[in-house]
Amino acid sequence: MKRLALGVAVVAAAAGGVGWTIARRLTAPVGPRRFDLTVHGIEQDDDGHLIVLDRTDQTTADGIYNLWFEHGGWAQLSTEVHDRGPILLARRITGTSPGLAPKAGDRASWSGIYHATPHEARLNSRSITITTPAGHCPAWRIDGDPSTWAIHIHGLGSTRAGTLRGVPAATDLGYTSLVVTYRNTEEGPHVGTGRSTLGHTETADVDEAIGYAVRRGARQIVLFGWSMGAAIALQLADRPRHDGLIAALVLDSPVLDWSEVIKTNCARGGLPAVVGYLAVPWLSIRPLARLAGLPRSIPLRSFDWTARTADLSTPTLILHGVQDDSVPIQLSQALRDARPELVELEAFDAAHTLSWNTDPDRWQATVTSWLRARVSR
């Protein structure tokens, strides 16, 4: 019996250690971008320049993307893929940051973040600061109709530049847009240990952006949320004080249940999916959350919209890729099936938050037509 008890204790300790590790990695402070691609050459033809890269699942993907370079600058790539043998390919460069001259040997990072600034997305903006409980959060403001605003919320580990893919849809509709940041991100204020709380404390920062818009004449607001930014948008729409104010949600690759998302990412990393459940106590139970480095526990149940379908009251458009191996599209399908009168789902042949990249015209047309039918002006 002693041996059995000892064995159980060892297994419990090991399981606890795995859960702690997963929780720590999920909430880790923002780290530097990984430059894991090598430029193998630059080619020139009658149509311009092509860049030769390693052949990977990312570099072969359909759509338009961006390369960010270790020494600074970026290069936008077209959807053209040219074969250069079993391990290499070439993609056409359609635009670069000023002064960039990529060359063989450069290190680069593949990204769906297509525009670095509003100016590069051909948007007239001004930089502002929103005062939040965490401190001063920088934001971009793109002016339009002062009575209808769109607030664009990026996801975990991303930056506000990623949401610029969705701003032209709001601009075409005449909305004023706020492209926001929040605590413990690359651009937002650093608080405590710098760890993410998966949208829990971050929601308070974005809520101040709503207050900013209301004080400047907003009578209705559309929230655009990407991945974890969608989880924040859903929390905001659920707050009673915003009844009648938040007119619609546009959610790309939304996190609708953190427990399932954690399981999915464990499976992607080669672990049994069920191991993901071991992280839940370290996130949601206060003493354990403290040991994991979090400022407080995270109420994961409030982020489970597959269980809270009856609580959803805001018209919602979801755009989600069928190849998403980070946030499974099945969660979005379940929400749509439970609330078809309120939720519309548009599926793309894309990975996580890359639906716009695979078909920007379709993404834009879907969003603008859906919003025209649901948000009065």
Side-chain angles (χ1 to χ4, degrees):
M1 291 295 292
K2 289 183 179 180
R3 290 182 179 179
L4 176 60
L6 179 60
V8 170
V10 169
V11 170
V18 171
W20 179 86
T21 299
I22 295 170
R24 294 272 295 178
R25 289 182 179 178
L26 179 64
T27 61
V30 175
R33 178 182 285 275
R34 292 177 57 200
F35 297 94
D36 51 2
L37 284 175
T38 299
V39 176
H40 293 281
I42 303 295
E43 302 174 351
Q44 186 171 3
D45 62 16
D46 293 340
D47 296 319
H49 291 86
L50 298 99
I51 190 165
V52 181
L53 301 166
D54 303 301
R55 181 183 291 276
T56 69
D57 289 342
Q58 288 183 323
T59 60
T60 56
D62 290 336
I64 58 175
Y65 299 93
N66 211 333
L67 277 181
W68 299 80
F69 289 87
E70 188 172 27
H71 54 68
W74 48 263
Q76 293 170 337
L77 308 179
S78 79
T79 194
E80 293 180 39
V81 178
H82 300 265
D83 183 69
R84 294 294 183 269
I87 63 172
L88 299 178
L89 56 75
R91 294 191 74 133
R92 185 165 303 282
I93 297 174
T94 57
T96 63
S97 54
L100 179 72
K103 62 185 183 302
D106 285 348
R107 300 289 291 175
S109 177
W110 188 265
S111 179
I113 300 177
Y114 196 68
H115 305 289
T117 67
H119 174 74
E120 288 156 8
R122 299 180 180 178
L123 297 166
N124 294 319
S125 71
R126 51 184 166 128
S127 295
I128 64 166
T129 298
I130 296 174
T131 302
T132 78
H136 298 300
C137 290
W140 290 312
R141 174 173 166 175
I142 298 97
D143 286 330
D145 180 355
S147 69
T148 304
W149 290 55
I151 296 177
H152 306 263
I153 314 163
H154 70 78
L156 180 65
S158 187
T159 67
R160 58 179 161 158
T163 71
L164 290 172
R165 291 169 288 180
V167 175
T171 301
D172 283 356
L173 292 165
Y175 304 168
T176 292
S177 279
L178 279 181
V179 182
V180 302
T181 58
Y182 46 82
R183 71 187 68 192
N184 293 335
T185 58
E186 183 178 319
E187 301 167 287
H190 185 279
V191 177
T193 61
R195 291 188 170 274
S196 169
T197 60
L198 307 184
H200 179 40
T201 57
E202 296 87 345
T203 295
D205 301 334
V206 182
D207 205 358
E208 293 301 326
I210 293 177
Y212 175 96
V214 169
R215 291 190 297 273
R216 286 154 183 82
R219 296 180 181 177
Q220 55 184 350
I221 291 174
V222 176
L223 299 179
F224 284 66
W226 298 68
S227 192
M228 190 184 86
I232 293 172
L234 284 159
Q235 295 298 306
L236 291 168
D238 189 49
R239 295 189 170 181
R241 69 174 175 273
H242 296 322
D243 286 350
L245 176 63
I246 297 178
L249 304 175
V250 177
L251 310 179
D252 192 299
S253 310
V255 172
L256 300 173
D257 178 357
W258 272 117
S259 297
E260 288 300 315
V261 169
I262 295 168
K263 286 171 55 182
T264 298
N265 282 272
C266 285
R268 185 179 65 170
L271 296 172
V274 71
V275 169
Y277 282 127
L278 298 175
V280 171
W282 293 97
L283 299 168
S284 58
I285 297 175
R286 185 175 181 180
L288 296 181
R290 289 281 189 171
L291 290 174
L294 296 173
R296 63 189 68 180
S297 60
I298 302 170
L300 293 180
R301 289 184 180 180
S302 72
F303 287 89
D304 183 0
W305 289 94
T306 60
R308 297 187 59 199
T309 56
D311 296 336
L312 187 65
S313 59
T314 306
T316 301
L317 172 64
I318 298 176
L319 308 110
H320 210 139
V322 298
Q323 297 182 38
D324 194 334
D325 62 357
S326 181
V327 177
I329 192 173
Q330 288 81 3
L331 298 176
S332 293
Q333 291 167 335
L335 186 61
R336 184 269 319 275
D337 293 345
R339 298 298 304 276
E341 81 288 359
L342 207 59
V343 178
E344 185 170 324
L345 171 63
E346 190 78 8
F348 290 75
D349 186 18
H352 187 58
T353 68
L354 297 178
S355 293
W356 181 93
N357 299 82
T358 61
D359 197 338
D361 291 340
R362 180 181 159 213
W363 196 101
Q364 173 98 359
T366 298
V367 172
T368 54
S369 62
W370 185 86
L371 285 172
R372 281 194 184 100
R374 286 159 183 82
V375 179
S376 60
R377 292 288 307 282

